[in-house]
């Protein structure tokens, strides 16, 4: 796995874009800094992040809890 980007918002949430590697899927991991807990993990489907694809430049919308690429 390789961290491609980190985003923090005003709600003390951190979102980490893991580009994946060695058979592991690209994913976004959300973490709540105040509660020190996992918000969730979103794995990118293989059709969007094929082998040797470097996932980058996505938009995280924390209000709608959505990811746009």
């Amino acid at each position: 796995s390789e961290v491609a980007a980190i985003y923090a918002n005003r709600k003390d949430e951190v979102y980490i874009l893991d580009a994946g590697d060695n058979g592991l899927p690209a994913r976004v991991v959300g973490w709540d800094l105040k509660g020190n807990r996992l918000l969730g993990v979103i794995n990118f489907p293989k059709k969007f992040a094929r082998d040797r694809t470097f996932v980058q430049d996505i938009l995280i919308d924390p209000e709608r809890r959505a990811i746009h690429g």
Side-chain angles (χ1 to χ4, degrees):
S1 293
E2 182 177 330
V3 173
I6 298 174
Y7 167 78
N9 64 24
R10 292 180 182 161
K11 294 181 178 182
D12 287 330
E13 297 171 338
V14 174
Y15 294 91
I16 302 158
L17 174 58
D18 178 351
D21 197 6
N22 297 322
L24 296 173
R27 63 189 180 159
V28 172
V29 178
W31 189 261
D32 175 4
L33 293 173
K34 284 183 182 176
N36 196 29
R37 66 181 181 89
L38 182 67
L39 293 172
V41 177
I42 299 170
N43 291 314
F44 285 86
K46 286 237 181 222
K47 67 181 183 178
F48 296 114
R50 298 184 180 128
D51 290 341
R52 297 190 179 121
T53 299
F54 189 78
V55 178
Q56 186 176 338
D57 298 329
I58 62 169
L59 173 68
I60 298 172
D61 183 344
E63 298 301 319
R64 294 183 183 90
R65 298 233 182 254
I67 298 174
H68 310 278

